Amino acid sequence: MVTPFAQFVGSQAAINVIVGERYKEVTDQVIQYALGLWGSEGSDNMDAAAKAKILNRARAREIEKIEHPEPTLAEVRKQYGGPHLSDEELLLRFYAGPEFVDALKIAPPRKEYLDARKPLVRLIEELGKKKLAHVYIRKGDFSLTVQRSQRSMVRLAG
C-alpha cells in the first residue's frame, strides 16, 4: 500500500476494532477518500455498502460542502519561496510545510551504519582502523591476511 492510503486503512482498522463495529466511526480522511478527494480511483472502486455507510452521516455532508482552494503554480511558488526553488523542494514545502524542509536542511549528516554492501571491503576498512598487528581469516578455499608493518600489506588468496 502507498501512503496516505495505508495510514487510512490502518487507522480505520484500529477504530473498527476499538468501537466493535465496522465504519460506525470514521476519520475525516476516510470520508474524504470515499468522496474522491484523494483521487477518484479509490472512491470509484470502493465496496458500495462500505462507501454508503461511510457517506451516510452528517460529517460526510459537511466535508462534501467544503470548497478546497486550488492555488495556481505561480501562487504556490510565490508563497513558498519563489522561482529559484527546485520543483522537488517546492512540493516538499507545499505538502510537508516550510518548517519541515528547513529542519531537514540544518539536520546533521546521516550516520553511516555497517551494512551488507561490499562486506569484504567493509571488513578490511574496519580492521584497518584497529591496532592489530596481524589478522588471518580463512573459509573454505578463501583466505585473507591483514598484517600491519612499515608497509601496509593485504593478501587475498582464493
Side-chain angles (χ1 to χ4, degrees):
M1 289 187 209
V2 177
T3 300
F5 182 67
Q7 187 161 351
F8 298 165
V9 170
S11 297
Q12 189 59 52
I15 292 168
N16 292 347
V17 169
I18 292 167
V19 173
E21 181 182 331
R22 293 181 72 203
Y23 306 111
K24 182 176 181 181
E25 298 290 331
V26 296
T27 65
D28 284 357
Q29 290 77 17
V30 169
I31 294 170
Q32 292 167 353
Y33 189 80
L35 287 168
L37 299 176
W38 292 91
S40 61
E41 314 75 39
S43 176
D44 293 347
N45 295 307
M46 284 182 84
D47 175 77
K51 185 175 180 178
K53 192 167 185 179
I54 291 167
L55 296 179
N56 188 23
R57 59 188 72 230
R59 182 65 180 150
R61 289 184 286 284
E62 289 174 21
I63 291 173
E64 190 173 29
K65 291 177 185 174
I66 296 172
E67 289 190 31
H68 299 280
E70 292 189 30
T72 66
L73 180 57
E75 291 170 335
V76 172
R77 277 207 178 275
K78 183 178 179 182
Q79 182 178 353
Y80 289 98
H84 67 280
L85 282 183
S86 69
D87 292 345
E88 292 81 6
E89 185 171 340
L90 179 66
L91 287 172
L92 276 173
R93 287 182 175 280
F94 181 75
Y95 285 107
E99 313 81 30
F100 173 76
V101 178
D102 292 340
L104 284 175
K105 288 183 173 188
I106 62 171
R110 75 179 177 94
K111 188 174 180 182
E112 189 170 328
Y113 295 94
L114 293 176
D115 59 28
R117 291 176 292 170
K118 301 180 184 175
L120 183 58
V121 173
R122 291 299 302 248
L123 175 63
I124 293 169
E125 287 174 348
E126 293 302 314
L127 288 173
K129 294 176 187 176
K130 307 289 181 195
K131 302 260 187 238
L132 302 172
H134 183 92
V135 175
Y136 177 77
I137 300 172
R138 180 178 179 170
K139 180 172 182 171
D141 293 338
F142 175 80
S143 66
L144 168 69
T145 303
V146 179
Q147 185 173 329
R148 189 178 299 275
S149 64
Q150 295 290 7
R151 297 182 351 227
S152 294
M153 176 187 122
V154 174
R155 183 175 64 215
L156 299 174

PDB file of all heavy atoms in Angstrom, residues 27-62:
ATOM      1  N   THR A  27     -12.692   8.365  10.276  1.00  0.00           N
ATOM      2  CA  THR A  27     -11.914   9.600  10.281  1.00  0.00           C
ATOM      3  C   THR A  27     -12.356  10.482   9.115  1.00  0.00           C
ATOM      4  O   THR A  27     -12.949  10.008   8.135  1.00  0.00           O
ATOM      5  CB  THR A  27     -10.412   9.302  10.136  1.00  0.00           C
ATOM      6  OG1 THR A  27     -10.183   8.727   8.842  1.00  0.00           O
ATOM      7  CG2 THR A  27      -9.911   8.361  11.225  1.00  0.00           C
ATOM      8  N   ASP A  28     -12.049  11.761   9.219  1.00  0.00           N
ATOM      9  CA  ASP A  28     -12.344  12.678   8.119  1.00  0.00           C
ATOM     10  C   ASP A  28     -11.627  12.252   6.840  1.00  0.00           C
ATOM     11  O   ASP A  28     -12.157  12.392   5.742  1.00  0.00           O
ATOM     12  CB  ASP A  28     -11.936  14.106   8.478  1.00  0.00           C
ATOM     13  CG  ASP A  28     -12.913  14.788   9.436  1.00  0.00           C
ATOM     14  OD1 ASP A  28     -13.947  14.171   9.776  1.00  0.00           O
ATOM     15  OD2 ASP A  28     -12.640  15.942   9.816  1.00  0.00           O
ATOM     16  N   GLN A  29     -10.419  11.708   6.995  1.00  0.00           N
ATOM     17  CA  GLN A  29      -9.663  11.289   5.811  1.00  0.00           C
ATOM     18  C   GLN A  29     -10.350  10.135   5.083  1.00  0.00           C
ATOM     19  O   GLN A  29     -10.331  10.075   3.859  1.00  0.00           O
ATOM     20  CB  GLN A  29      -8.224  10.901   6.198  1.00  0.00           C
ATOM     21  CG  GLN A  29      -7.365  12.078   6.613  1.00  0.00           C
ATOM     22  CD  GLN A  29      -7.655  12.559   8.024  1.00  0.00           C
ATOM     23  OE1 GLN A  29      -8.266  11.870   8.843  1.00  0.00           O
ATOM     24  NE2 GLN A  29      -7.214  13.777   8.317  1.00  0.00           N
ATOM     25  N   VAL A  30     -10.964   9.229   5.829  1.00  0.00           N
ATOM     26  CA  VAL A  30     -11.688   8.122   5.191  1.00  0.00           C
ATOM     27  C   VAL A  30     -12.908   8.664   4.465  1.00  0.00           C
ATOM     28  O   VAL A  30     -13.224   8.233   3.352  1.00  0.00           O
ATOM     29  CB  VAL A  30     -12.057   7.032   6.229  1.00  0.00           C
ATOM     30  CG1 VAL A  30     -13.028   6.018   5.644  1.00  0.00           C
ATOM     31  CG2 VAL A  30     -10.793   6.333   6.723  1.00  0.00           C
ATOM     32  N   ILE A  31     -13.580   9.632   5.058  1.00  0.00           N
ATOM     33  CA  ILE A  31     -14.712  10.273   4.380  1.00  0.00           C
ATOM     34  C   ILE A  31     -14.224  10.961   3.107  1.00  0.00           C
ATOM     35  O   ILE A  31     -14.822  10.820   2.041  1.00  0.00           O
ATOM     36  CB  ILE A  31     -15.430  11.271   5.310  1.00  0.00           C
ATOM     37  CG1 ILE A  31     -16.090  10.530   6.473  1.00  0.00           C
ATOM     38  CG2 ILE A  31     -16.461  12.095   4.528  1.00  0.00           C
ATOM     39  CD1 ILE A  31     -16.631  11.447   7.573  1.00  0.00           C
ATOM     40  N   GLN A  32     -13.117  11.695   3.215  1.00  0.00           N
ATOM     41  CA  GLN A  32     -12.553  12.376   2.043  1.00  0.00           C
ATOM     42  C   GLN A  32     -12.201  11.365   0.955  1.00  0.00           C
ATOM     43  O   GLN A  32     -12.436  11.603  -0.235  1.00  0.00           O
ATOM     44  CB  GLN A  32     -11.307  13.177   2.437  1.00  0.00           C
ATOM     45  CG  GLN A  32     -11.599  14.358   3.312  1.00  0.00           C
ATOM     46  CD  GLN A  32     -10.337  14.939   3.941  1.00  0.00           C
ATOM     47  OE1 GLN A  32      -9.250  14.380   3.834  1.00  0.00           O
ATOM     48  NE2 GLN A  32     -10.487  16.074   4.608  1.00  0.00           N
ATOM     49  N   TYR A  33     -11.664  10.241   1.373  1.00  0.00           N
ATOM     50  CA  TYR A  33     -11.293   9.190   0.419  1.00  0.00           C
ATOM     51  C   TYR A  33     -12.539   8.654  -0.289  1.00  0.00           C
ATOM     52  O   TYR A  33     -12.560   8.504  -1.514  1.00  0.00           O
ATOM     53  CB  TYR A  33     -10.551   8.059   1.148  1.00  0.00           C
ATOM     54  CG  TYR A  33      -9.943   7.047   0.226  1.00  0.00           C
ATOM     55  CD1 TYR A  33      -8.733   7.304  -0.403  1.00  0.00           C
ATOM     56  CD2 TYR A  33     -10.571   5.832  -0.022  1.00  0.00           C
ATOM     57  CE1 TYR A  33      -8.169   6.378  -1.268  1.00  0.00           C
ATOM     58  CE2 TYR A  33     -10.017   4.909  -0.879  1.00  0.00           C
ATOM     59  CZ  TYR A  33      -8.810   5.184  -1.496  1.00  0.00           C
ATOM     60  OH  TYR A  33      -8.254   4.266  -2.348  1.00  0.00           O
ATOM     61  N   ALA A  34     -13.589   8.406   0.475  1.00  0.00           N
ATOM     62  CA  ALA A  34     -14.834   7.896  -0.098  1.00  0.00           C
ATOM     63  C   ALA A  34     -15.484   8.921  -1.026  1.00  0.00           C
ATOM     64  O   ALA A  34     -16.131   8.560  -2.007  1.00  0.00           O
ATOM     65  CB  ALA A  34     -15.792   7.498   1.012  1.00  0.00           C
ATOM     66  N   LEU A  35     -15.285  10.199  -0.729  1.00  0.00           N
ATOM     67  CA  LEU A  35     -15.819  11.264  -1.577  1.00  0.00           C
ATOM     68  C   LEU A  35     -14.999  11.455  -2.856  1.00  0.00           C
ATOM     69  O   LEU A  35     -15.423  12.155  -3.758  1.00  0.00           O
ATOM     70  CB  LEU A  35     -15.870  12.593  -0.811  1.00  0.00           C
ATOM     71  CG  LEU A  35     -16.944  12.708   0.260  1.00  0.00           C
ATOM     72  CD1 LEU A  35     -16.706  13.932   1.131  1.00  0.00           C
ATOM     73  CD2 LEU A  35     -18.328  12.758  -0.378  1.00  0.00           C
ATOM     74  N   GLY A  36     -13.813  10.868  -2.902  1.00  0.00           N
ATOM     75  CA  GLY A  36     -12.960  11.003  -4.080  1.00  0.00           C
ATOM     76  C   GLY A  36     -12.007  12.180  -4.018  1.00  0.00           C
ATOM     77  O   GLY A  36     -11.375  12.526  -5.018  1.00  0.00           O
ATOM     78  N   LEU A  37     -11.865  12.789  -2.833  1.00  0.00           N
ATOM     79  CA  LEU A  37     -10.970  13.943  -2.710  1.00  0.00           C
ATOM     80  C   LEU A  37      -9.495  13.559  -2.770  1.00  0.00           C
ATOM     81  O   LEU A  37      -8.642  14.414  -2.974  1.00  0.00           O
ATOM     82  CB  LEU A  37     -11.271  14.704  -1.410  1.00  0.00           C
ATOM     83  CG  LEU A  37     -12.690  15.281  -1.309  1.00  0.00           C
ATOM     84  CD1 LEU A  37     -12.909  15.930   0.054  1.00  0.00           C
ATOM     85  CD2 LEU A  37     -12.936  16.274  -2.432  1.00  0.00           C
ATOM     86  N   TRP A  38      -9.177  12.291  -2.586  1.00  0.00           N
ATOM     87  CA  TRP A  38      -7.806  11.798  -2.678  1.00  0.00           C
ATOM     88  C   TRP A  38      -7.584  11.080  -4.012  1.00  0.00           C
ATOM     89  O   TRP A  38      -6.606  10.369  -4.174  1.00  0.00           O
ATOM     90  CB  TRP A  38      -7.492  10.853  -1.514  1.00  0.00           C
ATOM     91  CG  TRP A  38      -7.452  11.548  -0.198  1.00  0.00           C
ATOM     92  CD1 TRP A  38      -8.482  11.736   0.674  1.00  0.00           C
ATOM     93  CD2 TRP A  38      -6.322  12.164   0.409  1.00  0.00           C
ATOM     94  NE1 TRP A  38      -8.072  12.429   1.773  1.00  0.00           N
ATOM     95  CE2 TRP A  38      -6.741  12.707   1.638  1.00  0.00           C
ATOM     96  CE3 TRP A  38      -4.994  12.331   0.028  1.00  0.00           C
ATOM     97  CZ2 TRP A  38      -5.885  13.389   2.492  1.00  0.00           C
ATOM     98  CZ3 TRP A  38      -4.140  13.001   0.884  1.00  0.00           C
ATOM     99  CH2 TRP A  38      -4.586  13.521   2.100  1.00  0.00           C
ATOM    100  N   GLY A  39      -8.489  11.256  -4.925  1.00  0.00           N
ATOM    101  CA  GLY A  39      -8.409  10.605  -6.232  1.00  0.00           C
ATOM    102  C   GLY A  39      -9.635   9.747  -6.448  1.00  0.00           C
ATOM    103  O   GLY A  39     -10.113   9.082  -5.532  1.00  0.00           O
ATOM    104  N   SER A  40     -10.142   9.781  -7.650  1.00  0.00           N
ATOM    105  CA  SER A  40     -11.396   9.080  -7.923  1.00  0.00           C
ATOM    106  C   SER A  40     -11.229   7.567  -8.026  1.00  0.00           C
ATOM    107  O   SER A  40     -12.185   6.831  -7.817  1.00  0.00           O
ATOM    108  CB  SER A  40     -12.014   9.618  -9.214  1.00  0.00           C
ATOM    109  OG  SER A  40     -11.138   9.403 -10.303  1.00  0.00           O
ATOM    110  N   GLU A  41     -10.004   7.091  -8.300  1.00  0.00           N
ATOM    111  CA  GLU A  41      -9.811   5.643  -8.473  1.00  0.00           C
ATOM    112  C   GLU A  41     -10.248   4.861  -7.252  1.00  0.00           C
ATOM    113  O   GLU A  41     -10.961   3.861  -7.349  1.00  0.00           O
ATOM    114  CB  GLU A  41      -8.349   5.270  -8.747  1.00  0.00           C
ATOM    115  CG  GLU A  41      -7.584   6.065  -9.745  1.00  0.00           C
ATOM    116  CD  GLU A  41      -7.149   7.443  -9.287  1.00  0.00           C
ATOM    117  OE1 GLU A  41      -6.754   7.643  -8.116  1.00  0.00           O
ATOM    118  OE2 GLU A  41      -7.217   8.342 -10.122  1.00  0.00           O
ATOM    119  N   GLY A  42      -9.806   5.298  -6.076  1.00  0.00           N
ATOM    120  CA  GLY A  42     -10.149   4.586  -4.845  1.00  0.00           C
ATOM    121  C   GLY A  42     -11.630   4.658  -4.554  1.00  0.00           C
ATOM    122  O   GLY A  42     -12.268   3.655  -4.223  1.00  0.00           O
ATOM    123  N   SER A  43     -12.193   5.838  -4.696  1.00  0.00           N
ATOM    124  CA  SER A  43     -13.615   6.024  -4.419  1.00  0.00           C
ATOM    125  C   SER A  43     -14.482   5.228  -5.390  1.00  0.00           C
ATOM    126  O   SER A  43     -15.465   4.602  -4.991  1.00  0.00           O
ATOM    127  CB  SER A  43     -13.961   7.512  -4.514  1.00  0.00           C
ATOM    128  OG  SER A  43     -15.334   7.714  -4.352  1.00  0.00           O
ATOM    129  N   ASP A  44     -14.106   5.236  -6.648  1.00  0.00           N
ATOM    130  CA  ASP A  44     -14.878   4.520  -7.664  1.00  0.00           C
ATOM    131  C   ASP A  44     -14.873   3.010  -7.449  1.00  0.00           C
ATOM    132  O   ASP A  44     -15.812   2.321  -7.841  1.00  0.00           O
ATOM    133  CB  ASP A  44     -14.343   4.820  -9.067  1.00  0.00           C
ATOM    134  CG  ASP A  44     -14.570   6.267  -9.483  1.00  0.00           C
ATOM    135  OD1 ASP A  44     -15.358   6.973  -8.809  1.00  0.00           O
ATOM    136  OD2 ASP A  44     -13.952   6.699 -10.476  1.00  0.00           O
ATOM    137  N   ASN A  45     -13.823   2.494  -6.835  1.00  0.00           N
ATOM    138  CA  ASN A  45     -13.685   1.046  -6.671  1.00  0.00           C
ATOM    139  C   ASN A  45     -14.007   0.551  -5.263  1.00  0.00           C
ATOM    140  O   ASN A  45     -13.772  -0.608  -4.951  1.00  0.00           O
ATOM    141  CB  ASN A  45     -12.266   0.614  -7.063  1.00  0.00           C
ATOM    142  CG  ASN A  45     -12.008   0.843  -8.535  1.00  0.00           C
ATOM    143  OD1 ASN A  45     -12.771   0.403  -9.380  1.00  0.00           O
ATOM    144  ND2 ASN A  45     -10.950   1.567  -8.850  1.00  0.00           N
ATOM    145  N   MET A  46     -14.530   1.417  -4.410  1.00  0.00           N
ATOM    146  CA  MET A  46     -14.881   1.010  -3.045  1.00  0.00           C
ATOM    147  C   MET A  46     -16.093   0.087  -3.059  1.00  0.00           C
ATOM    148  O   MET A  46     -16.958   0.207  -3.917  1.00  0.00           O
ATOM    149  CB  MET A  46     -15.218   2.226  -2.176  1.00  0.00           C
ATOM    150  CG  MET A  46     -14.028   3.021  -1.720  1.00  0.00           C
ATOM    151  SD  MET A  46     -14.533   4.392  -0.644  1.00  0.00           S
ATOM    152  CE  MET A  46     -14.643   3.530   0.913  1.00  0.00           C
ATOM    153  N   ASP A  47     -16.143  -0.783  -2.078  1.00  0.00           N
ATOM    154  CA  ASP A  47     -17.331  -1.613  -1.870  1.00  0.00           C
ATOM    155  C   ASP A  47     -18.517  -0.677  -1.650  1.00  0.00           C
ATOM    156  O   ASP A  47     -18.461   0.234  -0.814  1.00  0.00           O
ATOM    157  CB  ASP A  47     -17.113  -2.508  -0.651  1.00  0.00           C
ATOM    158  CG  ASP A  47     -18.346  -3.304  -0.310  1.00  0.00           C
ATOM    159  OD1 ASP A  47     -18.611  -4.302  -1.013  1.00  0.00           O
ATOM    160  OD2 ASP A  47     -19.041  -2.910   0.655  1.00  0.00           O
ATOM    161  N   ALA A  48     -19.583  -0.874  -2.404  1.00  0.00           N
ATOM    162  CA  ALA A  48     -20.732   0.035  -2.374  1.00  0.00           C
ATOM    163  C   ALA A  48     -21.358   0.136  -0.985  1.00  0.00           C
ATOM    164  O   ALA A  48     -21.732   1.230  -0.538  1.00  0.00           O
ATOM    165  CB  ALA A  48     -21.769  -0.402  -3.401  1.00  0.00           C
ATOM    166  N   ALA A  49     -21.480  -0.984  -0.293  1.00  0.00           N
ATOM    167  CA  ALA A  49     -22.100  -0.969   1.042  1.00  0.00           C
ATOM    168  C   ALA A  49     -21.225  -0.209   2.038  1.00  0.00           C
ATOM    169  O   ALA A  49     -21.730   0.580   2.852  1.00  0.00           O
ATOM    170  CB  ALA A  49     -22.344  -2.397   1.522  1.00  0.00           C
ATOM    171  N   ALA A  50     -19.907  -0.421   1.989  1.00  0.00           N
ATOM    172  CA  ALA A  50     -18.991   0.286   2.891  1.00  0.00           C
ATOM    173  C   ALA A  50     -19.007   1.778   2.580  1.00  0.00           C
ATOM    174  O   ALA A  50     -19.050   2.616   3.493  1.00  0.00           O
ATOM    175  CB  ALA A  50     -17.583  -0.280   2.762  1.00  0.00           C
ATOM    176  N   LYS A  51     -18.980   2.118   1.299  1.00  0.00           N
ATOM    177  CA  LYS A  51     -18.991   3.529   0.889  1.00  0.00           C
ATOM    178  C   LYS A  51     -20.272   4.212   1.368  1.00  0.00           C
ATOM    179  O   LYS A  51     -20.228   5.329   1.901  1.00  0.00           O
ATOM    180  CB  LYS A  51     -18.856   3.631  -0.630  1.00  0.00           C
ATOM    181  CG  LYS A  51     -18.737   5.042  -1.141  1.00  0.00           C
ATOM    182  CD  LYS A  51     -18.477   5.027  -2.648  1.00  0.00           C
ATOM    183  CE  LYS A  51     -18.339   6.415  -3.210  1.00  0.00           C
ATOM    184  NZ  LYS A  51     -18.034   6.405  -4.654  1.00  0.00           N
ATOM    185  N   ALA A  52     -21.407   3.545   1.224  1.00  0.00           N
ATOM    186  CA  ALA A  52     -22.681   4.116   1.668  1.00  0.00           C
ATOM    187  C   ALA A  52     -22.677   4.339   3.177  1.00  0.00           C
ATOM    188  O   ALA A  52     -23.148   5.372   3.666  1.00  0.00           O
ATOM    189  CB  ALA A  52     -23.834   3.204   1.258  1.00  0.00           C
ATOM    190  N   LYS A  53     -22.129   3.392   3.921  1.00  0.00           N
ATOM    191  CA  LYS A  53     -22.091   3.517   5.386  1.00  0.00           C
ATOM    192  C   LYS A  53     -21.186   4.679   5.803  1.00  0.00           C
ATOM    193  O   LYS A  53     -21.482   5.387   6.762  1.00  0.00           O
ATOM    194  CB  LYS A  53     -21.606   2.203   6.005  1.00  0.00           C
ATOM    195  CG  LYS A  53     -21.818   2.140   7.498  1.00  0.00           C
ATOM    196  CD  LYS A  53     -21.633   0.743   8.041  1.00  0.00           C
ATOM    197  CE  LYS A  53     -21.987   0.708   9.521  1.00  0.00           C
ATOM    198  NZ  LYS A  53     -21.855  -0.610  10.084  1.00  0.00           N
ATOM    199  N   ILE A  54     -20.099   4.873   5.075  1.00  0.00           N
ATOM    200  CA  ILE A  54     -19.167   5.968   5.376  1.00  0.00           C
ATOM    201  C   ILE A  54     -19.812   7.319   5.056  1.00  0.00           C
ATOM    202  O   ILE A  54     -19.697   8.273   5.819  1.00  0.00           O
ATOM    203  CB  ILE A  54     -17.853   5.790   4.582  1.00  0.00           C
ATOM    204  CG1 ILE A  54     -17.076   4.582   5.106  1.00  0.00           C
ATOM    205  CG2 ILE A  54     -17.000   7.057   4.646  1.00  0.00           C
ATOM    206  CD1 ILE A  54     -15.931   4.141   4.209  1.00  0.00           C
ATOM    207  N   LEU A  55     -20.494   7.409   3.922  1.00  0.00           N
ATOM    208  CA  LEU A  55     -21.020   8.694   3.458  1.00  0.00           C
ATOM    209  C   LEU A  55     -22.402   9.028   4.013  1.00  0.00           C
ATOM    210  O   LEU A  55     -22.866  10.164   3.870  1.00  0.00           O
ATOM    211  CB  LEU A  55     -21.045   8.726   1.923  1.00  0.00           C
ATOM    212  CG  LEU A  55     -19.673   8.649   1.250  1.00  0.00           C
ATOM    213  CD1 LEU A  55     -19.818   8.661  -0.260  1.00  0.00           C
ATOM    214  CD2 LEU A  55     -18.763   9.776   1.729  1.00  0.00           C
ATOM    215  N   ASN A  56     -23.052   8.093   4.668  1.00  0.00           N
ATOM    216  CA  ASN A  56     -24.387   8.325   5.213  1.00  0.00           C
ATOM    217  C   ASN A  56     -24.281   8.863   6.642  1.00  0.00           C
ATOM    218  O   ASN A  56     -24.746   8.248   7.593  1.00  0.00           O
ATOM    219  CB  ASN A  56     -25.232   7.047   5.175  1.00  0.00           C
ATOM    220  CG  ASN A  56     -26.683   7.317   5.544  1.00  0.00           C
ATOM    221  OD1 ASN A  56     -27.156   8.441   5.411  1.00  0.00           O
ATOM    222  ND2 ASN A  56     -27.359   6.298   6.032  1.00  0.00           N
ATOM    223  N   ARG A  57     -23.678  10.008   6.783  1.00  0.00           N
ATOM    224  CA  ARG A  57     -23.522  10.654   8.088  1.00  0.00           C
ATOM    225  C   ARG A  57     -23.397  12.164   7.877  1.00  0.00           C
ATOM    226  O   ARG A  57     -22.984  12.620   6.819  1.00  0.00           O
ATOM    227  CB  ARG A  57     -22.325  10.087   8.849  1.00  0.00           C
ATOM    228  CG  ARG A  57     -21.008  10.241   8.143  1.00  0.00           C
ATOM    229  CD  ARG A  57     -19.832   9.504   8.794  1.00  0.00           C
ATOM    230  NE  ARG A  57     -19.955   8.081   8.591  1.00  0.00           N
ATOM    231  CZ  ARG A  57     -19.843   7.174   9.576  1.00  0.00           C
ATOM    232  NH1 ARG A  57     -19.569   7.546  10.784  1.00  0.00           N
ATOM    233  NH2 ARG A  57     -19.994   5.898   9.323  1.00  0.00           N
ATOM    234  N   ALA A  58     -23.725  12.908   8.909  1.00  0.00           N
ATOM    235  CA  ALA A  58     -23.719  14.371   8.830  1.00  0.00           C
ATOM    236  C   ALA A  58     -22.321  14.907   8.499  1.00  0.00           C
ATOM    237  O   ALA A  58     -22.173  15.844   7.712  1.00  0.00           O
ATOM    238  CB  ALA A  58     -24.230  14.968  10.136  1.00  0.00           C
ATOM    239  N   ARG A  59     -21.315  14.304   9.097  1.00  0.00           N
ATOM    240  CA  ARG A  59     -19.945  14.796   8.863  1.00  0.00           C
ATOM    241  C   ARG A  59     -19.565  14.667   7.391  1.00  0.00           C
ATOM    242  O   ARG A  59     -18.886  15.539   6.850  1.00  0.00           O
ATOM    243  CB  ARG A  59     -18.946  14.027   9.750  1.00  0.00           C
ATOM    244  CG  ARG A  59     -17.529  14.501   9.621  1.00  0.00           C
ATOM    245  CD  ARG A  59     -17.365  15.932  10.119  1.00  0.00           C
ATOM    246  NE  ARG A  59     -15.963  16.341   9.970  1.00  0.00           N
ATOM    247  CZ  ARG A  59     -15.595  17.574   9.749  1.00  0.00           C
ATOM    248  NH1 ARG A  59     -16.472  18.556   9.678  1.00  0.00           N
ATOM    249  NH2 ARG A  59     -14.325  17.868   9.615  1.00  0.00           N
ATOM    250  N   ALA A  60     -19.997  13.632   6.717  1.00  0.00           N
ATOM    251  CA  ALA A  60     -19.698  13.455   5.296  1.00  0.00           C
ATOM    252  C   ALA A  60     -20.348  14.567   4.483  1.00  0.00           C
ATOM    253  O   ALA A  60     -19.738  15.107   3.545  1.00  0.00           O
ATOM    254  CB  ALA A  60     -20.171  12.091   4.809  1.00  0.00           C
ATOM    255  N   ARG A  61     -21.548  14.952   4.850  1.00  0.00           N
ATOM    256  CA  ARG A  61     -22.228  16.038   4.131  1.00  0.00           C
ATOM    257  C   ARG A  61     -21.521  17.375   4.380  1.00  0.00           C
ATOM    258  O   ARG A  61     -21.431  18.212   3.484  1.00  0.00           O
ATOM    259  CB  ARG A  61     -23.702  16.079   4.520  1.00  0.00           C
ATOM    260  CG  ARG A  61     -24.482  14.880   3.937  1.00  0.00           C
ATOM    261  CD  ARG A  61     -25.964  14.933   4.228  1.00  0.00           C
ATOM    262  NE  ARG A  61     -26.310  14.617   5.613  1.00  0.00           N
ATOM    263  CZ  ARG A  61     -26.324  13.373   6.123  1.00  0.00           C
ATOM    264  NH1 ARG A  61     -25.994  12.336   5.381  1.00  0.00           N
ATOM    265  NH2 ARG A  61     -26.664  13.175   7.386  1.00  0.00           N
ATOM    266  N   GLU A  62     -20.986  17.566   5.592  1.00  0.00           N
ATOM    267  CA  GLU A  62     -20.221  18.787   5.893  1.00  0.00           C
ATOM    268  C   GLU A  62     -18.953  18.839   5.039  1.00  0.00           C
ATOM    269  O   GLU A  62     -18.643  19.873   4.443  1.00  0.00           O
ATOM    270  CB  GLU A  62     -19.816  18.823   7.370  1.00  0.00           C
ATOM    271  CG  GLU A  62     -20.926  19.067   8.348  1.00  0.00           C
ATOM    272  CD  GLU A  62     -20.448  18.929   9.789  1.00  0.00           C
ATOM    273  OE1 GLU A  62     -19.217  19.032  10.037  1.00  0.00           O
ATOM    274  OE2 GLU A  62     -21.285  18.714  10.671  1.00  0.00           O
TER     275      GLU A  62
END
